[in-house]
Coordinates of all heavy atoms in Angstrom, one line a residue:
H1 N -16.6 11.5 0.7 CA -15.3 11.5 1.5 C -14.2 11.3 0.2 O -14.2 10.2 -0.2 CB -15.3 10.4 2.5 CG -14.0 10.1 3.2 ND1 -13.1 11.2 3.4 CD2 -13.3 9.1 3.5 CE1 -11.9 10.7 4.0 NE2 -12.2 9.3 4.0
H2 N -13.4 12.3 0.0 CA -12.5 12.1 -1.0 C -11.1 11.8 -0.4 O -10.6 12.4 0.5 CB -12.4 13.4 -1.8 CG -13.7 13.8 -2.5 ND1 -14.0 13.2 -3.7 CD2 -14.6 14.7 -2.2 CE1 -15.2 13.6 -4.0 NE2 -15.7 14.5 -3.2
V3 N -10.4 11.0 -1.2 CA -9.1 10.6 -0.7 C -8.2 10.5 -1.9 O -8.6 9.9 -3.0 CB -9.1 9.0 -0.1 CG1 -7.7 8.6 0.2 CG2 -10.0 9.1 1.1
S4 N -7.1 11.1 -1.8 CA -6.0 11.0 -2.7 C -5.1 9.9 -2.6 O -4.6 9.6 -1.5 CB -5.2 12.4 -2.8 OG -5.9 13.6 -3.1
T5 N -4.7 9.3 -3.8 CA -3.8 8.1 -3.6 C -2.9 8.2 -4.7 O -3.1 9.0 -5.7 CB -4.6 6.8 -3.8 OG1 -5.2 6.7 -5.0 CG2 -5.7 6.5 -2.7
W6 N -1.7 7.4 -4.6 CA -0.7 7.4 -5.7 C -0.3 6.0 -5.9 O 0.0 5.3 -4.9 CB 0.4 8.2 -5.1 CG 1.7 8.4 -6.1 CD1 2.7 7.6 -6.1 CD2 1.7 9.3 -7.1 NE1 3.5 8.0 -7.2 CE2 3.0 9.0 -7.9 CE3 1.0 10.4 -7.6 CZ2 3.5 9.8 -8.9 CZ3 1.5 11.1 -8.6 CH2 2.7 10.8 -9.2
G7 N -0.2 5.6 -7.1 CA 0.3 4.4 -7.5 C -0.6 3.1 -7.1 O -1.7 3.4 -6.8
G8 N -0.1 2.0 -7.2 CA -0.7 0.8 -6.7 C 0.1 -0.4 -7.3 O 0.2 -0.5 -8.4
S9 N 0.5 -1.1 -6.4 CA 1.2 -2.4 -6.8 C 0.4 -3.6 -6.3 O 0.0 -3.7 -5.1 CB 2.6 -2.4 -6.0 OG 3.4 -3.4 -6.4
V10 N 0.1 -4.5 -7.2 CA -0.9 -5.5 -6.9 C -0.3 -7.0 -7.0 O 0.5 -7.2 -7.9 CB -2.0 -5.6 -8.0 CG1 -3.0 -6.6 -7.8 CG2 -2.8 -4.2 -7.9
I11 N -0.6 -7.8 -6.0 CA -0.1 -9.1 -5.9 C -1.3 -10.0 -5.7 O -2.1 -9.7 -4.7 CB 1.0 -9.3 -4.8 CG1 2.3 -8.5 -5.2 CG2 1.1 -10.8 -4.5 CD1 3.4 -8.7 -4.2
E12 N -1.4 -11.1 -6.5 CA -2.4 -12.0 -6.2 C -2.1 -13.1 -5.3 O -1.0 -13.6 -5.3 CB -3.0 -12.7 -7.6 CG -4.1 -13.6 -7.4 CD -3.8 -15.0 -7.1 OE1 -2.8 -15.6 -7.5 OE2 -4.7 -15.7 -6.5
R13 N -3.0 -13.5 -4.3 CA -2.6 -14.4 -3.3 C -3.9 -15.2 -3.0 O -4.8 -14.6 -2.6 CB -1.9 -13.9 -2.2 CG -1.4 -15.0 -1.2 CD -0.4 -14.6 -0.2 NE 0.8 -14.5 -0.8 CZ 1.9 -14.2 -0.1 NH1 1.8 -13.9 1.1 NH2 3.1 -14.3 -0.7
D14 N -4.1 -16.6 -3.4 CA -5.2 -17.3 -3.1 C -6.6 -16.7 -3.4 O -7.4 -16.7 -2.7 CB -5.2 -17.7 -1.5 CG -4.0 -18.4 -1.0 OD1 -3.4 -19.2 -1.8 OD2 -3.6 -18.0 0.2
G15 N -6.5 -16.4 -4.8 CA -7.8 -15.6 -5.2 C -8.2 -14.4 -4.9 O -9.2 -13.8 -5.1
Q16 N -7.2 -13.6 -4.1 CA -7.4 -12.3 -3.7 C -6.4 -11.4 -4.2 O -5.2 -11.9 -4.2 CB -7.4 -12.2 -2.1 CG -8.6 -12.8 -1.5 CD -8.6 -12.7 -0.1 OE1 -7.6 -12.1 0.7 NE2 -9.6 -13.2 0.7
W17 N -6.7 -10.2 -4.6 CA -5.7 -9.3 -5.0 C -5.4 -8.2 -4.0 O -6.4 -7.6 -3.6 CB -6.2 -8.7 -6.4 CG -6.2 -9.6 -7.6 CD1 -5.1 -9.8 -8.4 CD2 -7.1 -10.6 -7.9 NE1 -5.5 -10.9 -9.2 CE2 -6.8 -11.3 -9.0 CE3 -8.3 -11.1 -7.3 CZ2 -7.4 -12.4 -9.5 CZ3 -9.0 -12.2 -7.8 CH2 -8.5 -12.8 -8.9
H18 N -4.2 -8.2 -3.6 CA -3.7 -7.2 -2.6 C -3.1 -6.0 -3.3 O -2.0 -6.2 -4.0 CB -2.8 -7.9 -1.6 CG -3.4 -9.0 -0.9 ND1 -4.1 -9.0 0.3 CD2 -3.6 -10.4 -1.3 CE1 -4.5 -10.1 0.7 NE2 -4.2 -11.0 -0.3
M19 N -3.5 -4.8 -3.0 CA -3.0 -3.6 -3.7 C -2.2 -2.8 -2.5 O -2.9 -2.6 -1.5 CB -4.0 -2.8 -4.4 CG -3.4 -1.4 -4.9 SD -4.5 -0.3 -5.5 CE -5.1 -1.1 -7.1
F20 N -1.0 -2.5 -2.8 CA -0.3 -1.6 -1.9 C -0.1 -0.3 -2.5 O 0.3 -0.2 -3.7 CB 1.0 -2.1 -1.5 CG 1.0 -3.5 -0.8 CD1 0.9 -4.7 -1.6 CD2 0.9 -3.6 0.5 CE1 0.7 -5.9 -0.9 CE2 0.8 -4.7 1.2 CZ 0.8 -6.0 0.6
A21 N -0.7 0.8 -1.9 CA -0.6 2.1 -2.5 C -0.4 3.2 -1.6 O -0.5 3.0 -0.3 CB -1.9 2.4 -3.2
S22 N 0.0 4.4 -2.0 CA 0.1 5.4 -1.1 C -1.2 6.3 -0.9 O -1.8 6.4 -1.9 CB 1.2 6.5 -1.7 OG 2.5 5.8 -1.8
R23 N -1.5 6.6 0.3 CA -2.7 7.4 0.5 C -2.4 8.7 1.3 O -1.7 8.6 2.2 CB -3.7 6.6 1.2 CG -5.0 7.4 1.6 CD -5.9 6.4 2.4 NE -5.5 6.2 3.8 CZ -6.2 5.5 4.6 NH1 -7.5 5.0 4.3 NH2 -5.7 5.3 5.8
M24 N -2.9 9.8 0.9 CA -2.8 11.1 1.6 C -3.7 11.1 3.0 O -4.8 11.0 2.6 CB -2.9 12.4 0.8 CG -2.0 12.3 -0.5 SD -0.3 11.7 -0.4 CE -0.3 10.4 -1.5
V25 N -3.1 11.4 4.0 CA -3.9 11.5 5.2 C -4.5 12.8 5.4 O -4.1 13.8 4.6 CB -3.1 11.1 6.4 CG1 -2.5 9.7 6.4 CG2 -1.8 12.1 6.7
L26 N -5.5 12.9 6.2 CA -6.2 14.1 6.8 C -6.9 14.9 5.5 O -7.0 16.2 5.6 CB -5.2 15.2 7.5 CG -4.5 14.6 8.6 CD1 -3.4 15.5 9.1 CD2 -5.3 14.2 9.7
G27 N -7.3 14.2 4.5 CA -7.8 14.8 3.4 C -7.0 15.6 2.5 O -7.5 16.5 1.6
C28 N -5.7 15.5 2.6 CA -4.8 16.3 1.9 C -4.7 15.8 0.4 O -5.0 14.7 0.1 CB -3.3 16.2 2.4 SG -3.1 16.9 4.0
G29 N -4.4 16.7 -0.5 CA -4.3 16.3 -1.9 C -2.7 15.9 -2.2 O -2.0 15.8 -1.3
L30 N -2.5 15.7 -3.5 CA -1.3 15.1 -3.8 C -0.1 16.0 -3.7 O 1.0 15.8 -3.6 CB -1.2 14.6 -5.3 CG -2.1 13.4 -5.5 CD1 -2.2 13.0 -7.0 CD2 -1.6 12.2 -4.7
N31 N -0.5 17.4 -3.7 CA 0.6 18.5 -3.5 C 1.1 18.4 -2.1 O 2.3 19.0 -2.0 CB -0.1 19.8 -3.7 CG -0.4 20.0 -5.2 OD1 0.2 19.5 -6.0 ND2 -1.4 21.1 -5.4
D32 N 0.6 17.7 -1.2 CA 1.0 17.7 0.1 C 1.7 16.3 0.5 O 1.8 15.9 1.7 CB 0.0 18.1 1.1 CG -0.4 19.5 1.0 OD1 0.4 20.3 0.9 OD2 -1.7 19.6 0.9
W33 N 1.9 15.5 -0.4 CA 2.5 14.2 -0.3 C 3.7 14.1 0.6 O 3.9 13.1 1.4 CB 2.8 13.5 -1.6 CG 4.0 14.0 -2.3 CD1 4.1 15.0 -3.2 CD2 5.3 13.6 -2.2 NE1 5.3 15.2 -3.6 CE2 6.0 14.3 -3.0 CE3 5.9 12.4 -1.6 CZ2 7.5 14.0 -3.2 CZ3 7.2 12.3 -1.6 CH2 8.0 13.0 -2.5
A34 N 4.6 15.0 0.6 CA 5.9 14.9 1.2 C 5.8 14.8 2.7 O 6.6 14.2 3.3 CB 6.7 16.0 0.9
T35 N 4.6 15.2 3.3 CA 4.5 15.2 4.8 C 3.2 14.4 5.2 O 2.9 14.3 6.3 CB 4.3 16.5 5.4 OG1 3.3 17.2 4.8 CG2 5.7 17.3 5.3
N36 N 2.5 13.9 4.2 CA 1.1 13.4 4.5 C 0.9 11.9 3.8 O -0.3 11.5 3.7 CB 0.0 14.2 4.1 CG 0.0 15.5 4.9 OD1 -0.2 15.5 6.1 ND2 0.5 16.6 4.4
S37 N 1.8 11.3 3.3 CA 1.7 10.1 2.7 C 1.9 8.9 3.5 O 2.9 8.8 4.3 CB 2.7 10.0 1.4 OG 2.4 8.8 0.7
E38 N 1.0 7.8 3.5 CA 1.1 6.6 4.2 C 0.9 5.5 3.1 O 0.3 5.6 2.1 CB 0.2 6.4 5.4 CG -1.3 6.4 4.9 CD -2.2 6.6 6.0 OE1 -1.8 6.6 7.2 OE2 -3.4 6.3 5.9
V39 N 1.3 4.2 3.5 CA 1.1 3.1 2.6 C 0.0 2.2 3.3 O 0.1 1.9 4.4 CB 2.4 2.3 2.5 CG1 2.0 1.0 1.6 CG2 3.5 3.1 1.7
I40 N -1.0 1.9 2.4 CA -2.1 1.1 2.7 C -2.2 -0.2 1.9 O -1.6 -0.3 0.9 CB -3.5 1.9 2.6 CG1 -3.7 2.2 1.1 CG2 -3.6 3.0 3.4 CD1 -5.1 2.6 0.8
R41 N -3.0 -1.1 2.5 CA -3.2 -2.2 1.7 C -4.8 -2.4 1.5 O -5.6 -2.2 2.5 CB -2.8 -3.6 2.4 CG -3.1 -4.9 1.7 CD -2.4 -6.0 2.5 NE -3.2 -6.3 3.7 CZ -4.2 -7.1 4.0 NH1 -4.8 -7.7 2.9 NH2 -4.7 -7.3 5.2
A42 N -5.2 -2.7 0.3 CA -6.6 -2.9 0.0 C -6.7 -4.2 -0.8 O -5.8 -4.7 -1.4 CB -7.2 -1.8 -0.9
V43 N -7.9 -4.7 -0.7 CA -8.1 -6.2 -1.3 C -9.3 -6.2 -2.2 O -10.4 -5.5 -2.0 CB -8.3 -7.2 -0.2 CG1 -8.7 -8.5 -0.7 CG2 -7.2 -7.4 0.7
S44 N -9.1 -6.8 -3.4 CA -10.1 -7.1 -4.3 C -10.5 -8.6 -4.4 O -9.5 -9.5 -4.6 CB -9.8 -6.7 -5.8 OG -10.9 -7.0 -6.6
L45 N -11.8 -9.1 -4.4 CA -12.1 -10.4 -4.6 C -12.5 -10.7 -5.9 O -12.7 -11.9 -6.3 CB -13.2 -10.7 -3.6 CG -12.9 -10.5 -2.1 CD1 -14.1 -10.8 -1.3 CD2 -11.7 -11.3 -1.5
E46 N -12.6 -9.7 -6.8 CA -13.2 -9.7 -8.1 C -12.0 -9.8 -9.2 O -12.3 -10.2 -10.4 CB -14.1 -8.6 -8.3 CG -15.5 -8.7 -7.6 CD -16.4 -7.6 -8.0 OE1 -16.5 -7.3 -9.0 OE2 -17.1 -7.3 -6.9
G47 N -10.9 -9.3 -8.9 CA -9.9 -9.3 -10.0 C -8.9 -8.2 -9.7 O -9.2 -7.2 -8.9
P48 N -7.8 -8.1 -10.6 CA -6.9 -7.1 -10.4 C -7.4 -5.7 -10.7 O -6.7 -4.7 -10.2 CB -5.7 -7.5 -11.4 CG -6.4 -8.3 -12.4 CD -7.5 -9.0 -11.7
Y49 N -8.3 -5.5 -11.4 CA -9.0 -4.1 -11.8 C -9.9 -3.6 -10.6 O -10.4 -2.6 -10.7 CB -9.5 -4.0 -13.2 CG -8.6 -4.4 -14.2 CD1 -8.6 -5.6 -14.8 CD2 -7.5 -3.3 -14.5 CE1 -7.5 -5.8 -15.8 CE2 -6.6 -3.7 -15.4 CZ -6.6 -5.0 -16.1 OH -5.6 -5.2 -16.9
G50 N -10.1 -4.5 -9.6 CA -11.2 -4.1 -8.6 C -12.5 -4.6 -8.7 O -12.7 -5.3 -9.5
P51 N -13.4 -4.0 -7.9 CA -13.1 -2.8 -7.0 C -12.3 -3.4 -5.7 O -12.3 -4.5 -5.4 CB -14.5 -2.4 -6.5 CG -15.3 -3.6 -6.6 CD -14.8 -4.5 -7.9
Y52 N -11.8 -2.5 -5.0 CA -10.9 -2.7 -3.9 C -11.5 -2.1 -2.6 O -12.1 -1.1 -2.6 CB -9.4 -2.1 -4.0 CG -8.5 -2.9 -5.0 CD1 -8.6 -2.8 -6.3 CD2 -7.7 -3.9 -4.4 CE1 -7.8 -3.5 -7.1 CE2 -6.9 -4.7 -5.3 CZ -7.0 -4.5 -6.6 OH -6.2 -5.3 -7.4
S53 N -11.3 -2.8 -1.5 CA -11.7 -2.5 -0.2 C -10.6 -2.2 0.7 O -9.6 -3.0 0.8 CB -12.6 -3.4 0.4 OG -13.8 -3.6 -0.3
F54 N -10.4 -1.0 1.4 CA -9.3 -0.8 2.2 C -9.3 -1.8 3.4 O -10.3 -2.3 4.0 CB -9.5 0.7 2.9 CG -8.7 0.9 4.1 CD1 -7.3 1.3 3.9 CD2 -9.0 0.8 5.3 CE1 -6.5 1.6 4.9 CE2 -8.3 1.0 6.5 CZ -6.9 1.4 6.2
Q55 N -8.1 -2.3 3.8 CA -7.8 -3.2 4.8 C -7.2 -2.7 6.1 O -7.5 -2.9 7.2 CB -7.2 -4.6 4.4 CG -7.9 -5.2 3.2 CD -9.2 -5.8 3.6 OE1 -9.3 -6.4 4.5 NE2 -10.3 -5.4 3.0
E56 N -6.0 -1.9 5.7 CA -5.2 -1.5 6.9 C -4.1 -0.5 6.2 O -3.8 -0.5 5.1 CB -4.4 -2.7 7.5 CG -3.5 -3.3 6.5 CD -2.8 -4.6 7.2 OE1 -2.7 -4.6 8.4 OE2 -2.6 -5.6 6.4
V57 N -3.5 0.2 7.2 CA -2.3 1.0 7.0 C -1.2 0.1 7.3 O -1.0 -0.5 8.3 CB -2.3 2.3 8.0 CG1 -1.0 3.0 7.9 CG2 -3.4 3.1 7.7
V58 N -0.3 -0.1 6.3 CA 0.9 -1.0 6.3 C 2.1 -0.2 6.9 O 2.8 -0.8 7.8 CB 1.1 -1.6 5.0 CG1 2.4 -2.5 5.1 CG2 -0.1 -2.4 4.5
V59 N 2.2 1.0 6.4 CA 3.4 1.8 6.9 C 2.8 3.2 7.1 O 2.4 3.9 6.1 CB 4.5 1.9 5.8 CG1 5.8 2.7 6.4 CG2 5.0 0.4 5.6
P60 N 2.9 3.7 8.3 CA 2.4 5.1 8.6 C 3.1 6.1 8.0 O 4.3 6.0 7.4 CB 2.4 5.2 10.1 CG 3.5 4.3 10.5 CD 3.6 3.1 9.5
V61 N 2.6 7.4 8.1 CA 3.3 8.6 7.5 C 4.7 8.7 8.1 O 4.9 8.3 9.4 CB 2.5 9.9 8.1 CG1 3.3 11.1 7.7 CG2 1.2 10.0 7.5
F62 N 5.7 8.8 7.5 CA 5.9 9.1 6.0 C 6.3 7.9 5.2 O 7.4 7.3 5.6 CB 6.8 10.4 5.7 CG 7.0 10.4 4.3 CD1 6.2 11.1 3.6 CD2 8.1 10.1 3.8 CE1 6.4 11.4 2.2 CE2 8.4 10.1 2.4 CZ 7.5 10.8 1.6
A63 N 5.7 7.5 4.3 CA 6.1 6.4 3.5 C 5.4 6.8 2.0 O 4.2 7.1 2.1 CB 5.7 5.0 4.0
H64 N 6.0 6.5 0.9 CA 5.4 6.9 -0.3 C 5.8 5.9 -1.4 O 7.0 5.3 -1.3 CB 5.8 8.3 -0.7 CG 5.0 8.9 -1.8 ND1 3.7 9.1 -1.7 CD2 5.4 9.2 -3.0 CE1 3.3 9.6 -3.0 NE2 4.2 9.7 -3.7
D65 N 5.2 5.9 -2.4 CA 5.4 5.1 -3.7 C 5.8 3.7 -3.5 O 6.8 3.1 -3.8 CB 6.9 5.8 -4.3 CG 7.1 5.4 -5.8 OD1 6.0 5.0 -6.4 OD2 8.0 5.5 -6.3
A66 N 4.8 3.1 -2.9 CA 4.8 1.7 -2.5 C 5.0 0.7 -3.9 O 4.2 0.9 -4.7 CB 3.6 1.2 -1.8
N67 N 5.9 -0.3 -3.7 CA 6.1 -1.2 -4.8 C 6.3 -2.6 -4.1 O 7.2 -2.8 -3.3 CB 7.4 -0.8 -5.6 CG 7.2 0.4 -6.5 OD1 6.3 0.3 -7.4 ND2 7.7 1.4 -6.2
A68 N 5.4 -3.5 -4.3 CA 5.4 -4.9 -3.7 C 5.8 -5.9 -4.8 O 5.3 -5.8 -6.0 CB 4.2 -5.2 -3.2
I69 N 6.6 -6.7 -4.4 CA 7.0 -8.0 -5.2 C 6.9 -9.3 -4.4 O 7.0 -9.2 -3.2 CB 8.5 -7.8 -5.8 CG1 9.5 -7.8 -4.7 CG2 8.6 -6.6 -6.7 CD1 10.9 -8.0 -5.1
E70 N 6.7 -10.2 -5.0 CA 6.7 -11.6 -4.5 C 7.9 -12.3 -4.8 O 8.3 -12.6 -6.0 CB 5.4 -12.3 -4.8 CG 5.2 -13.6 -4.1 CD 3.9 -14.2 -4.3 OE1 3.1 -13.7 -5.2 OE2 3.5 -15.2 -3.6
T71 N 8.7 -12.8 -3.8 CA 9.8 -13.6 -4.0 C 9.6 -14.9 -4.4 O 8.4 -15.5 -4.3 CB 10.7 -13.7 -2.6 OG1 10.0 -14.4 -1.7 CG2 10.9 -12.2 -2.0
P72 N 10.5 -15.7 -5.0 CA 10.3 -17.1 -5.4 C 9.8 -17.9 -4.2 O 9.1 -19.0 -4.3 CB 11.7 -17.5 -5.8 CG 12.3 -16.3 -6.3 CD 11.8 -15.3 -5.3
Q73 N 10.1 -17.6 -2.9 CA 9.7 -18.3 -1.8 C 8.3 -18.0 -1.3 O 7.8 -18.6 -0.4 CB 10.7 -18.1 -0.6 CG 12.1 -18.5 -0.8 CD 12.9 -17.6 -1.7 OE1 12.7 -16.5 -1.9 NE2 14.0 -18.2 -2.4
G74 N 7.7 -17.1 -2.0 CA 6.4 -16.7 -1.6 C 6.1 -15.5 -0.7 O 5.1 -15.1 -0.2
D75 N 7.2 -14.9 -0.2 CA 7.2 -13.7 0.6 C 6.8 -12.5 -0.2 O 7.3 -12.4 -1.2 CB 8.5 -13.5 1.4 CG 8.9 -14.7 2.3 OD1 8.0 -15.2 3.0 OD2 10.1 -15.0 2.4
I76 N 6.2 -11.6 0.5 CA 5.9 -10.2 -0.1 C 7.0 -9.3 0.5 O 7.1 -9.1 1.6 CB 4.5 -9.8 0.1 CG1 3.5 -10.7 -0.6 CG2 4.3 -8.3 -0.3 CD1 2.2 -10.4 -0.3
V77 N 7.7 -8.6 -0.5 CA 8.7 -7.5 -0.1 C 8.2 -6.3 -0.6 O 7.7 -6.1 -1.8 CB 10.0 -7.8 -0.7 CG1 11.1 -6.7 -0.4 CG2 10.6 -9.1 -0.3
L78 N 8.0 -5.3 0.3 CA 7.5 -4.0 0.0 C 8.6 -3.0 0.1 O 9.4 -2.8 1.0 CB 6.5 -3.6 1.1 CG 5.8 -2.3 1.0 CD1 4.8 -2.2 -0.3 CD2 4.8 -2.1 2.1
F79 N 8.8 -2.2 -1.1 CA 9.7 -1.2 -1.2 C 9.0 0.3 -1.2 O 7.9 0.3 -1.8 CB 10.5 -1.2 -2.4 CG 11.3 -2.4 -2.6 CD1 10.8 -3.6 -3.3 CD2 12.6 -2.5 -2.2 CE1 11.7 -4.7 -3.4 CE2 13.3 -3.6 -2.3 CZ 12.9 -4.7 -2.9
V80 N 9.5 1.2 -0.4 CA 8.8 2.5 -0.3 C 10.0 3.5 -0.6 O 11.2 3.3 -0.4 CB 8.2 2.8 1.0 CG1 7.0 1.9 1.1 CG2 9.0 2.7 2.2
T81 N 9.6 4.7 -1.1 CA 10.5 5.8 -1.4 C 11.3 6.2 -0.1 O 12.4 6.5 -0.2 CB 9.8 7.0 -2.2 OG1 9.3 6.5 -3.4 CG2 10.8 8.2 -2.4
A82 N 10.6 6.5 0.9 CA 11.1 7.0 2.1 C 10.2 6.5 3.3 O 9.1 6.3 3.3 CB 11.1 8.6 2.1
R83 N 11.0 6.5 4.5 CA 10.4 6.2 5.8 C 11.2 6.8 6.9 O 12.4 6.5 6.9 CB 10.3 4.6 5.9 CG 10.0 4.2 7.3 CD 8.5 4.4 7.6 NE 8.1 3.7 8.9 CZ 7.6 4.5 9.7 NH1 7.5 5.8 9.7 NH2 7.3 4.0 10.9
L84 N 10.6 7.7 7.6 CA 11.3 8.2 8.9 C 10.9 7.4 10.0 O 9.8 7.1 10.2 CB 10.9 9.7 8.8 CG 11.3 10.6 7.6 CD1 10.9 11.9 7.9 CD2 12.8 10.5 7.3
G85 N 11.8 7.3 11.0 CA 11.5 6.8 12.3 C 12.0 5.3 12.3 O 12.8 4.9 11.5
P86 N 11.7 4.5 13.4 CA 12.3 3.2 13.6 C 11.7 2.3 12.4 O 10.7 2.4 11.9 CB 11.7 2.8 15.0 CG 10.7 3.6 15.1 CD 10.8 5.0 14.5
T87 N 12.6 1.3 12.2 CA 12.3 0.4 11.1 C 11.2 -0.6 11.8 O 11.2 -0.9 13.0 CB 13.4 -0.4 10.6 OG1 14.1 -1.1 11.7 CG2 14.5 0.5 9.9
Q88 N 10.5 -1.3 10.9 CA 9.5 -2.1 11.3 C 9.5 -3.5 10.6 O 9.8 -3.4 9.4 CB 8.2 -1.6 11.3 CG 7.9 -0.2 12.0 CD 6.5 0.4 11.6 OE1 5.8 -0.1 10.7 NE2 6.1 1.3 12.2
N89 N 9.2 -4.5 11.3 CA 9.1 -5.9 10.5 C 7.7 -6.0 10.2 O 6.8 -6.0 11.1 CB 9.6 -6.9 11.6 CG 10.6 -7.9 10.9 OD1 10.7 -7.9 9.6 ND2 11.1 -8.8 11.8
M90 N 7.3 -6.1 9.0 CA 5.9 -6.3 8.6 C 5.6 -7.6 8.0 O 6.4 -8.1 7.1 CB 5.6 -5.3 7.6 CG 5.6 -3.8 8.2 SD 5.4 -2.5 7.1 CE 7.1 -2.6 6.2
T91 N 4.6 -8.2 8.4 CA 4.2 -9.6 7.8 C 2.8 -9.6 7.3 O 1.8 -10.1 8.0 CB 4.4 -10.7 9.0 OG1 3.7 -10.4 10.0 CG2 5.9 -10.9 9.3
H92 N 2.6 -8.9 6.3 CA 1.2 -8.8 5.6 C 1.2 -9.2 4.3 O 2.2 -8.9 3.6 CB 0.8 -7.3 5.6 CG 0.6 -6.8 6.8 ND1 -0.4 -7.0 7.9 CD2 1.4 -5.8 7.6 CE1 -0.2 -6.4 9.0 NE2 0.8 -5.6 9.0
P93 N 0.3 -9.8 3.6 CA -0.9 -10.4 4.3 C -0.4 -11.9 4.7 O 0.5 -12.4 4.2 CB -1.9 -10.5 3.2 CG -1.2 -10.3 2.0 CD 0.1 -9.6 2.2

């Protein structure tokens, strides 16, 4: 099962590394990112270089180019290139 992904922003929290990345749905390649990209979260227990295990879809199609930062207060803020549809309040992880 082949999956195309783009980028990857990693934040360590309590000994787990959370990666936020873009994943193409329906087996699409990177050429179809404009209509098939979603943002996922994957976790590694071994370190920032992985291996990572998929956990969940964080922002459904269309969202791309995920960049996560941790605020001084410990909140995770996720930036994406685009998102169509209603806004969502996300509290992960």
